[in-house]
Amino acid sequence: MNSLDKNVDIYKVGEKLGYLSYITKRYVELIGEEETRRLYNFNEQKLPKTIRMNTLRTDIETTENLLSQKGVKMRKLRDLPEAREIISSSVPVGATPEYLNGFYLLQGKNSLYPVKVLNPQKGEIVGDFAAAPGGKTSHLAQLMENEGKIVAIELSTNRCRSLKSNLARLGVTNTIILNMDARDSTSLNVKFDKILLDAPCSGSGIIVSDPSRKKSKSLKDIMSFHELQVSMLSKALEILKPGGILLYCTCSLEPEENEFVITKVMEEVNIKIDKIDVEGKPGLRQFGKYEFNQEITKAKRLYPQETNGEGFFIVKMVKEK
Amino acid sequence: MNKEEISFRKAEEPELKVIKNSILKFFGKEATEVIFSKHLWIREGKIREVFALSEDINEAASSLDIKLYSAGTPIGSLWEEGFQLEIEGALMITNLTNKKLIVNTDQFLYGKSIFKENIEECKDSFNSGDLLIIFGKNKLHFGVGKAIIDSNKITESPPNTIVVKGYPNKPFDRGWYLRKGN
């Protein structure tokens, strides 16, 4: 079935493609029927592979040359000088000696934006509050040139193991890993200059790489994530220095996990939202009958079908002094 | 099932002594100084993993009044037999030693042994039992391995003689990150 065919009812398209019925209903409400068709069409395609060159190990040119010698064809991505999209490859890019040396890692294009927007600096104390498997943690370290301190918090012990392994492979040296619930981080007695909260979410923005999500999450699940996200964000803001920056992101398109979370937290904590220079649509003004804090339009929604990548919501918050 | 009890703590004097003696024996004074320019910590569970921490991270790790999972760079592990240098520890000292073996195959990255036919270049002579840092094409770091034959006996040895034995279940080669790291 061609989801772009306007003669076919969008709800039938959703059903045929395996989406739970509430999903199609809310996407039509969120982005309209035509965009929902485009989104569903995109989710049936193969997402282009992208890599991030890891300058903690070697310079971009060296990695590019080594991969070219292996027959890996790549192209540059706009605004992301350290990233390349893989056009074709005669070798498995996730298992080359260069990969094992940490010269690069496989990382979705849109997942590079949160760390770039947070813009960590050498010497800062940066928290990464749902850190595994470490793609964004290592990106933080790369921008900090392994100077300063990163506290990487991960709840799952198994995922801490892969976090430790990935950071070692990528040459990250300025990180402390804590196996704990980030909501308990107030007990650390540390005040952070910057915090990255890539919150656990329902993952509706990554159906293109995880089609099981079409059926696996109910509205009730989304509300559970909402509660968790509000709680994690509130706690994170408590231990952010006045004037400090917190980058909240999810790979979910659900307003309950994004604009609703920020609105709720803004009722209790004095924060302002900074404009960010990233592709995508502004945060929602309203959803259904609910009107959000207008500051939230400074956030960005990266829809997969528009950005040729995973769906993301990104917002940069500054704690008032 | 009981969860493994892990502690992450500063290495104690006897442990530091074992690590120092091992690196000194295999790689000399300069390599030892590089490792000991860092603060060494131990992640103790079923095995004792050794981590190297920078001054900043050591200070931060010491000040946190909470159980740490790990910090810094894993460089090796401590066993009853002594200290075993592993992938990242080997990389840290790579510019300070000639105990290097360059091979013409990626097989070592699969935890497989290095045969005499695989040797492209050997920077220095070595004896059986010596630790060697292994490199592949384009001088890419492959890991660390123990020689099981003297270098001056390789030429006269029969075909398919193993020079460095592979250990697929240990973090000696970079392929371990794919096999066991995740």
Side-chain angles (χ1 to χ4, degrees):
Chain A
M1 180 184 280
N2 181 0
S3 61
L4 296 173
D5 184 352
K6 287 180 185 169
N7 294 320
V8 185
D9 180 72
I10 185 65
Y11 295 95
K12 288 214 167 105
V13 171
E15 196 184 327
K16 184 85 180 166
L17 292 173
Y19 290 86
L20 293 175
S21 58
Y22 85 89
I23 297 180
T24 305
K25 195 176 163 205
R26 66 172 19 217
Y27 284 175
V28 169
E29 186 181 350
L30 193 62
I31 55 178
E33 188 176 319
E34 198 178 326
E35 281 304 299
T36 303
R37 287 180 189 280
R38 286 185 61 215
L39 173 62
Y40 282 5
N41 184 56
F42 182 87
N43 284 346
E44 298 306 305
Q45 317 295 314
K46 210 172 170 192
L47 194 63
K49 259 188 196 147
T50 52
I51 59 171
R52 171 167 61 79
M53 312 288 196
N54 176 29
T55 51
L56 292 177
R57 284 297 197 202
T58 191
D59 57 272
I60 290 174
E61 200 185 345
T62 301
T63 305
E64 216 164 24
N65 288 340
L66 288 167
L67 289 178
S68 293
Q69 283 173 32
K70 290 189 142 61
V72 181
K73 289 197 171 63
M74 299 169 282
R75 72 166 148 246
K76 291 182 180 176
L77 293 166
R78 206 178 57 145
D79 300 332
L80 296 167
E82 68 275 54
R84 297 289 181 276
E85 184 180 307
I86 306 293
I87 301 166
S88 65
S89 174
S90 49
V91 293
V93 285
T96 65
E98 290 80 2
Y99 172 86
L100 296 173
N101 268 271
F103 288 9
Y104 65 90
L105 69 159
L106 290 157
Q107 192 173 2
K109 182 197 73 145
N110 288 347
S111 76
L112 269 72
Y113 288 123
V115 172
K116 283 191 86 76
V117 172
L118 185 61
N119 193 22
Q121 302 292 307
K122 290 181 191 180
E124 288 180 334
I125 304 177
V126 181
D128 184 353
F129 280 11
K136 294 187 188 73
T137 318
S138 65
H139 197 187
L140 291 168
Q142 178 169 343
L143 296 189
M144 294 164 80
E145 295 176 29
N146 258 339
E147 291 180 33
K149 297 157 202 155
I150 299 171
V151 177
I153 300 177
E154 175 55 49
L155 178 62
S156 154
T157 307
N158 277 340
R159 283 165 66 81
C160 274
R161 197 164 142 253
S162 61
L163 176 62
K164 173 170 78 97
S165 166
N166 283 328
L167 297 185
R169 179 174 61 81
L170 294 162
V172 174
T173 60
N174 66 337
T175 299
I176 295 171
I177 300 176
L178 303 177
N179 181 196
M180 62 184 283
D181 189 329
R183 289 172 293 181
D184 296 332
S185 52
T186 45
S187 66
L188 294 174
N189 292 322
V190 176
K191 290 283 181 192
F192 291 90
D193 295 300
K194 286 175 183 164
I195 293 174
L196 173 67
L197 177 54
D198 180 10
C201 71
S202 68
S204 59
I206 54 168
I207 289 176
V208 63
S209 43
D210 179 13
S212 71
R213 169 61 182 80
K214 289 173 182 175
K215 277 193 189 298
S216 62
K217 299 284 185 296
S218 64
L219 272 172
K220 201 175 157 198
D221 293 324
I222 290 171
M223 286 318 293
S224 298
F225 279 112
H226 167 83
E227 297 296 332
L228 173 65
Q229 290 150 349
V230 169
S231 165
M232 287 181 84
L233 180 55
S234 303
K235 292 290 180 186
L237 284 165
E238 272 184 46
I239 53 172
L240 186 66
K241 286 179 185 172
I245 297 170
L246 189 146
L247 194 298
Y248 175 89
C249 63
T250 68
C251 57
S252 165
L253 303 175
E254 313 309 315
E256 291 84 350
E257 300 183 75
N258 299 316
E259 287 88 348
F260 277 106
V261 172
I262 310 303
T263 297
K264 175 101 178 155
V265 170
M266 285 180 89
E267 285 166 7
E268 281 154 27
V269 188
N270 201 8
I271 50 172
K272 74 178 183 72
I273 295 181
D274 265 5
K275 248 185 162 172
I276 52 177
D277 185 21
V278 166
E279 62 180 317
K281 290 266 198 302
L284 300 175
R285 281 179 182 276
Q286 62 178 83
F287 184 67
K289 291 177 191 165
Y290 199 91
E291 277 200 24
F292 298 114
N293 185 315
Q294 292 306 292
E295 279 273 287
I296 291 170
T297 55
K298 292 177 186 165
K300 281 287 170 75
R301 294 188 141 255
L302 281 69
Y303 290 106
Q305 77 281 9
E306 286 179 348
T307 59
N308 198 30
E310 324 88 316
F312 256 92
F313 173 84
I314 304 174
V315 60
K316 181 183 177 186
M317 289 172 261
V318 183
K319 189 172 175 178
E320 298 282 13
K321 285 183 180 168
Chain B
M1 194 168 73
N2 286 338
K3 200 175 166 184
E4 189 187 356
E5 268 305 309
I6 300 282
S7 69
F8 191 72
R9 57 168 174 81
K10 287 183 179 180
E12 292 164 2
E13 271 312 314
E15 293 167 329
L16 290 170
K17 201 173 164 189
V18 171
I19 298 165
K20 185 178 266 180
N21 287 343
S22 172
I23 300 170
L24 203 55
K25 176 183 161 194
F26 290 116
F27 299 105
K29 194 169 165 240
E30 277 184 278
T32 310
E33 280 170 3
V34 163
I35 297 287
F36 278 81
S37 68
K38 307 287 180 191
H39 297 264
L40 301 187
W41 286 55
I42 306 286
R43 185 169 191 275
E44 184 162 22
K46 280 179 194 155
I47 51 172
R48 282 184 292 168
E49 295 174 84
V50 182
F51 286 74
L53 277 63
S54 67
E55 193 67 48
D56 270 1
I57 293 298
N58 175 63
E59 192 186 308
S62 307
S63 69
L64 284 172
D65 186 21
I66 194 165
K67 207 163 109 178
L68 310 186
Y69 183 88
S70 69
T73 306
I75 61 162
S77 52
L78 277 167
W79 303 83
E80 273 181 22
E81 307 81 46
F83 173 67
Q84 175 61 60
L85 189 73
E86 293 170 356
I87 306 166
E88 299 305 328
L91 186 64
M92 274 173 76
I93 58 168
T94 193
N95 292 329
L96 301 164
T97 178
N98 280 326
K99 297 280 183 197
K100 292 177 188 167
L101 199 63
I102 300 167
V103 295
N104 59 15
T105 167
D106 290 350
Q107 289 301 302
F108 187 68
L109 291 174
Y110 294 86
K112 305 229 165 110
S113 298
I114 296 169
F115 297 90
K116 67 180 275 189
E117 292 78 6
N118 302 141
I119 296 171
E120 190 78 21
E121 193 184 335
C122 178
K123 292 279 178 195
D124 203 353
S125 61
F126 55 82
N127 296 317
S128 174
D130 279 356
L131 286 181
L132 304 172
I133 302 182
I134 316 295
F135 291 85
K137 200 179 160 192
N138 292 319
K139 294 181 183 159
L140 284 168
H141 180 243
F142 277 12
V144 60
K146 189 175 268 187
I148 58 170
I149 183 173
D150 295 349
S151 54
N152 60 11
K153 289 181 185 158
I154 294 175
T155 315
E156 68 202 38
S157 66
N160 297 322
T161 296
I162 292 176
V163 178
V164 174
K165 196 169 176 327
Y167 289 91
N169 293 319
K170 293 190 175 177
F172 296 165
D173 67 278
R174 290 194 161 268
W176 182 87
Y177 287 127
L178 279 184
R179 293 194 306 276
K180 303 276 179 186
N182 288 311

